[in-house]
Amino acid sequence: MNSIYRSIALLIKSLLIMLMVFDTTLASATPEISNQPVAIIIHGGAGTIKQALMSDELEAEYRAVLNEAVTRGHTILLKGGSSSEAVVAAISLMEDSPLFNAGYGAVFNHQGDIELDASIMQGSDLNAGAVASVRHIKNPIKLARSVMNASPHVMLAGSGAELFAQQQGFSLVSNDYFKTERRRLQLERIIDQQTSITRPPKPVHPLLVKYQFDEKKLGTVGAVAIDQQGNITAGTSTGGMTNKRFGRIGDAPVIGAGTYADNSSCGISATGHGEYFIRAAVAHDICARVAYKGISLQAAQDEVVQIKLVNMNASGGVIGVDKDANIAFSFNSLGMYRAGIDKHNKAFVQIFQRN
Ligand code: ASP
């Protein structure tokens, strides 16, 4: 009888061991499910954007591209992709759209050429990459990422950046690829306004009326995201400012000014009058206020954008994500093209003060 009990006990023990082994095998085969919520926010530039002057069609075009860009980034995050991948995907989509001042459709410098700036920063290791004054790179944000990942440097400029691009397998495009009629007319208009002191300025071209010509309307693009690992990445890409001097570099590629990310505080991408944004170290200042003062991302953004920049007479705005996946934006201009999907999957696309 005793031996029957012993055999049954042995059988149960073996079954239990088998179950435990099966359970561990199952656990290791199941991908790790993270509880870290993801979030993304993007901008397409800030400036004098007036709803009354914008046609419904144009507004719908802007909203559609913003929606597509933010959704593309968010989908990557939901699938477990990194925040760097999400930021590069969202920004490249906007670089390829003629609506924004980045990549195709960027603004002209005084000489009638296009010079592009971009940067990216990872909050996980404070690694960063930037390119300035490039003329032949279709998606400068991708080259900024290569500078970050494949070079020992943070910033490469002009022909040196383009030689590095070729070595990294990028193909160069002609500077004409970026040029659009709308931006050419903008440059012409600004030069006409500056030289028309003794005569009335020329009538405004209908294409400029459509796009509400205003030299204070900027249009840089940027994105900030947090992924399932809790890593924050921020990126920014721009053609700079219409009629800028050849060789002028704005805040977008300057780490700490136009872009900054640190997993322990937040990530920021800025848009506005670059010279002021560099002097105010906008992106880093916001993250530093979050870190040192312990205030919210929204409060830190407002302190810098609504007080510090306003006191400097500088117009523009910022977007950001903090370490707890909160998203926030702040701007002191009439409008800012922006969109986001927060940690609760709540999405928005907005252009004007409130909507
Ligand atoms: N910050 C950019 C620059 O100064 C312009 C912009 O944001 O629209 O180059």
Side-chain angles (χ1 to χ4, degrees):
M1 206 54 177
N2 255 356
S3 70
I4 295 177
Y5 281 134
R6 254 202 310 275
S7 310
I8 293 174
L10 206 69
L11 192 74
I12 293 174
K13 202 175 160 191
S14 319
L15 273 171
L16 278 174
I17 290 172
M18 270 169 67
L19 265 176
M20 275 165 65
V21 170
F22 182 64
D23 195 47
T24 7
T25 324
L26 247 192
S28 58
T30 316
E32 211 180 289
I33 300 183
S34 155
N35 290 327
Q36 169 72 45
V38 300
I40 181 165
I41 185 162
I42 64 171
H43 71 75
T48 317
I49 309 161
K50 296 183 190 136
Q51 189 158 20
L53 297 181
M54 187 181 275
S55 72
D56 292 348
E57 297 75 48
L58 187 62
E59 187 183 327
E61 273 179 53
Y62 272 108
R63 288 187 190 273
V65 181
L66 288 168
N67 183 46
E68 201 186 333
V70 79
T71 307
R72 185 172 289 188
H74 191 244
T75 307
I76 291 171
L77 297 171
L78 287 181
K79 286 185 178 157
S82 70
S83 51
S84 298
E85 280 176 69
V87 161
V88 170
I91 291 183
S92 344
L93 194 144
M94 292 187 282
E95 285 176 336
D96 292 342
S97 161
L99 292 177
F100 303 100
N101 171 19
Y104 175 55
V107 299
F108 285 65
N109 68 10
H110 181 72
Q111 292 183 318
D113 286 326
I114 312 284
E115 289 173 296
L116 305 162
D117 301 335
S119 69
I120 187 165
M121 182 165 188
Q122 282 175 182
S124 51
D125 53 4
L126 304 187
N127 201 2
V131 293
S133 287
V134 292
R135 291 162 169 251
H136 303 285
I137 305 298
K138 184 168 177 273
N139 292 108
I141 191 68
K142 292 185 180 167
L143 185 56
R145 179 180 55 186
S146 287
V147 172
M148 172 172 78
N149 291 334
S151 90
H153 307 299
V154 168
M155 191 189 287
L156 292 177
S159 51
E162 285 165 347
L163 178 61
F164 171 75
Q166 283 174 288
Q167 289 162 347
Q168 291 297 311
F170 283 74
S171 35
L172 303 190
V173 296
S174 142
N175 199 247
D176 290 342
Y177 159 78
F178 302 103
K179 297 181 181 173
T180 55
E181 184 61 1
R182 164 198 179 189
R183 300 299 191 188
R184 195 188 60 72
L185 290 165
Q186 262 183 11
L187 174 66
E188 218 172 64
R189 174 82 187 160
I190 290 188
I191 292 177
D192 182 62
Q193 280 176 335
Q194 287 176 351
T195 50
S196 65
I197 301 149
T198 51
R199 58 173 171 80
K202 290 185 193 142
V204 183
H205 191 283
L207 196 60
L208 291 183
V209 175
K210 176 180 171 193
Y211 287 103
Q212 295 182 41
F213 170 75
D214 185 321
E215 66 180 292
K216 290 205 191 77
K217 185 143 62 61
L218 310 161
T220 293
V221 305
V224 188
I226 185 164
D227 60 30
Q228 291 182 17
Q229 273 62 50
N231 290 328
I232 301 173
T233 299
T236 312
S237 179
T238 189
M241 297 177 81
T242 308
N243 198 32
K244 66 184 181 181
R245 261 191 98 95
F246 144 62
R248 176 264 187 190
I249 296 168
D251 60 317
V254 178
I255 298 301
T259 302
Y260 197 75
D262 183 341
N263 278 4
S264 66
S265 53
C266 66
I268 296 290
S269 169
T271 174
H273 196 144
E275 279 68 12
Y276 295 97
F277 279 58
I278 294 173
R279 284 150 53 192
V282 166
H284 182 265
D285 192 0
I286 293 170
C287 292
R289 284 170 198 249
V290 169
Y292 307 153
K293 293 176 88 177
I295 57 175
S296 71
L297 174 64
Q298 186 68 67
Q301 288 185 348
D302 290 343
E303 282 185 4
V304 172
V305 175
Q306 314 296 344
I307 302 172
K308 185 177 181 181
L309 286 175
V310 167
N311 287 342
M312 292 171 82
N313 255 329
S315 112
V318 297
I319 54 164
V321 177
D322 71 13
K323 64 176 172 25
D324 300 316
N326 298 305
I327 57 175
F329 62 82
S330 186
F331 58 95
N332 61 28
S333 47
L334 276 186
M336 179 166 80
Y337 299 102
R338 59 200 185 274
I341 303 181
D342 73 8
K343 58 181 169 184
H344 308 295
N345 280 330
K346 201 163 161 264
F348 73 87
V349 178
Q350 296 174 352
I351 299 175
F352 311 106
Q353 282 291 337
R354 273 176 235 293
N355 57 325

